[in-house]
Amino acid sequence: MDFTVIRKLSTCLCATMLAGVAALSTSCNSVIYDDEPICEQGLAIRFVYDYNMENANAFPSQVHCLTVFIYDADGHYVTTLTETDRSKLSDENWRMNIDLPEGSYQVVAYGGMACPDASFSFENATGNLTDRRVELDADLLTSPVGPNLHPLFYGEADVVSSVGYFDNAYVPVTVYMMKDTNNIRILLHNADGSPVSSDDFTFRITDDNTLFNYDNNLLPAPVVTYWPWTQGNIGGLSSDDDVIGTVPSFVYAELSTSRLVISSSARLVIEQQSSGRVVLSIPLVKYLLLYKSDNYGMMGNQEFLDRKSEWELSLFLDSVAGGWGTVTIWIDDWSVRINNIEA
């Protein structure tokens, strides 16, 4: 791993209880006086979330609470710090100050875990570094209405604190974070423009992505079902093509999921309730990767999945003999016609 080397350079003045008496400090190697402040030794951590499609720091606007673990060079737990004050987290200039003696450390940060509506919880948080786990609260995944998962963020940094002479200054360190949750919006529409009713369709996503290892990689876990956190009808365009009409031409549903990975078994399934027929059943990640423009040709597929946390799918259904014969998926400017709904 790469290390951030930290040096504190300048004069250190330490306080003493011996009023009016100057003494030699063996720890700071300087003359100390009774009216000088105690030396501060540690880190001033900045948190950045720019691992997104815009490459812009969205930490101040998207991270509502923060949990930070400190481990020593051998992976032993040192301490935990939390911050839930939104006025601090939303301030670009805010830094989390941590007092630490000289040494090597790993800083591990999670956004969204200390909030009242957190969707994930820790296991073995205060054990050794490799003991830590993060798990989605499976009780949230209820049918037919699922949760709008509270966003989860992760970041880590290895630092080496090399202490020299200093004057009450914390050393700046940056922890870069990524987002582990997704929101997927689906629009369902009849190709012939005839009305569709939200009450006639169920949406779900199945995946086994609920358990994170200490390094933010997914561990094997039971398959769970994500249900829409919102679903309903919206009108289509009116005849002048610029005003939303009143006819319920679209069914929409939004589902919130944990991290999506290229090895995922995630599957999107849509059923028609009146007939019990499966309208669509596709490997979700395979089709989401169709969003990847040639502009991101140098970006790996996993990086693309991690950076793009908001997704939109438009599905156009062709009616055949009273049922659904084919489905066309529009993803940006791409059109994918699926003749086998069990693809």
Side-chain angles (χ1 to χ4, degrees):
M1 294 183 177
D2 295 331
F3 289 90
T4 301
V5 178
I6 301 169
R7 294 192 175 277
K8 296 185 173 183
L9 304 172
S10 62
T11 304
C12 173
L13 295 176
C14 295
T16 180
M17 298 301 294
L18 302 176
V21 179
L24 180 65
S25 168
T26 58
S27 63
C28 297
N29 295 324
S30 64
V31 176
I32 54 178
Y33 299 90
D34 64 310
D35 59 347
E36 294 296 340
I38 297 175
C39 294
E40 295 174 334
Q41 179 175 314
L43 310 175
I45 305 180
R46 180 191 182 203
F47 301 90
V48 173
Y49 166 50
D50 60 2
Y51 198 68
N52 48 51
M53 299 305 293
E54 293 76 26
N55 293 304
N57 182 19
F59 181 92
S61 61
Q62 294 198 26
V63 179
H64 301 159
C65 58
L66 190 65
T67 305
V68 177
F69 298 103
I70 305 295
Y71 300 89
D72 66 16
D74 297 318
H76 298 138
Y77 171 79
V78 176
T79 190
T80 303
L81 296 95
T82 60
E83 183 56 70
T84 58
D85 187 339
R86 289 289 301 278
S87 65
K88 293 180 179 179
L89 296 170
S90 62
D91 181 357
E92 177 66 37
N93 297 315
W94 174 77
R95 302 294 184 265
M96 176 178 278
N97 292 337
I98 301 179
D99 295 307
L100 289 171
E102 182 176 3
S104 299
Y105 300 93
Q106 183 173 66
V107 180
V108 181
Y110 290 91
M113 297 288 290
C115 298
D117 57 345
S119 302
F120 296 79
S121 57
F122 290 113
E123 296 180 6
N124 303 320
T126 58
N128 288 339
L129 171 68
T130 57
D131 295 334
R132 190 183 64 256
R133 302 286 186 272
V134 170
E135 186 171 19
L136 174 64
D137 182 359
D139 291 340
L140 297 174
L141 306 178
T142 57
S143 171
V145 179
N148 185 7
L149 298 178
H150 189 101
L152 174 66
F153 299 85
Y154 168 86
E156 61 88 19
D158 293 301
V159 298
V160 176
S161 178
S162 179
V163 181
Y165 298 108
F166 62 100
D167 54 354
N168 305 307
Y170 290 101
V171 176
V173 176
T174 300
V175 174
Y176 293 93
M177 308 189 74
M178 62 175 287
K179 192 174 184 180
D180 280 331
T181 46
N182 298 268
N183 190 71
I184 300 168
R185 180 175 174 85
I186 301 169
L187 287 178
L188 193 62
H189 180 58
N190 267 331
D192 62 7
S194 59
V196 288
S197 172
S198 171
D199 295 335
D200 198 25
F201 294 93
T202 60
F203 300 79
R204 65 180 183 270
I205 293 172
T206 58
D207 204 351
D208 59 352
N209 59 347
T210 58
L211 181 61
F212 290 87
N213 204 359
Y214 71 95
D215 56 3
N216 204 47
N217 288 315
L218 290 171
L219 291 169
V223 174
V224 298
T225 300
Y226 297 95
W227 301 93
W229 60 268
T230 185
Q231 181 176 336
N233 277 110
I234 54 176
L237 294 175
S238 65
S239 58
D240 58 6
D241 289 338
D242 62 359
V243 179
I244 296 296
T246 58
V247 177
S249 299
F250 287 87
V251 173
Y252 71 89
E254 294 193 42
L255 300 90
S256 183
T257 77
S258 182
R259 188 183 182 194
L260 298 170
V261 296
I262 54 176
S263 60
S264 169
S265 60
R267 197 161 195 88
L268 169 63
V269 180
I270 303 174
E271 292 183 355
Q272 184 184 29
Q273 293 204 72
S274 59
S275 66
R277 181 179 179 185
V278 173
V279 174
L280 184 74
S281 177
I282 58 172
L284 179 62
V285 169
K286 173 182 176 180
Y287 285 90
L288 291 182
L289 286 174
L290 293 174
Y291 268 101
K292 188 179 176 184
S293 164
D294 288 349
N295 290 324
Y296 308 117
M298 299 300 293
M299 185 185 296
N301 286 342
Q302 186 58 57
E303 179 179 349
F304 179 73
L305 290 172
D306 288 333
R307 283 181 178 270
K308 187 173 177 63
S309 60
E310 297 286 335
W311 307 87
E312 301 83 26
L313 295 175
S314 294
L315 310 179
F316 290 82
L317 308 177
D318 290 329
S319 179
V320 175
W324 302 112
T326 61
V327 178
T328 301
I329 302 179
W330 285 92
I331 304 176
D332 288 345
D333 293 329
W334 292 89
S335 173
V336 181
R337 188 177 180 85
I338 304 174
N339 294 311
N340 179 3
I341 61 174
E342 297 289 342

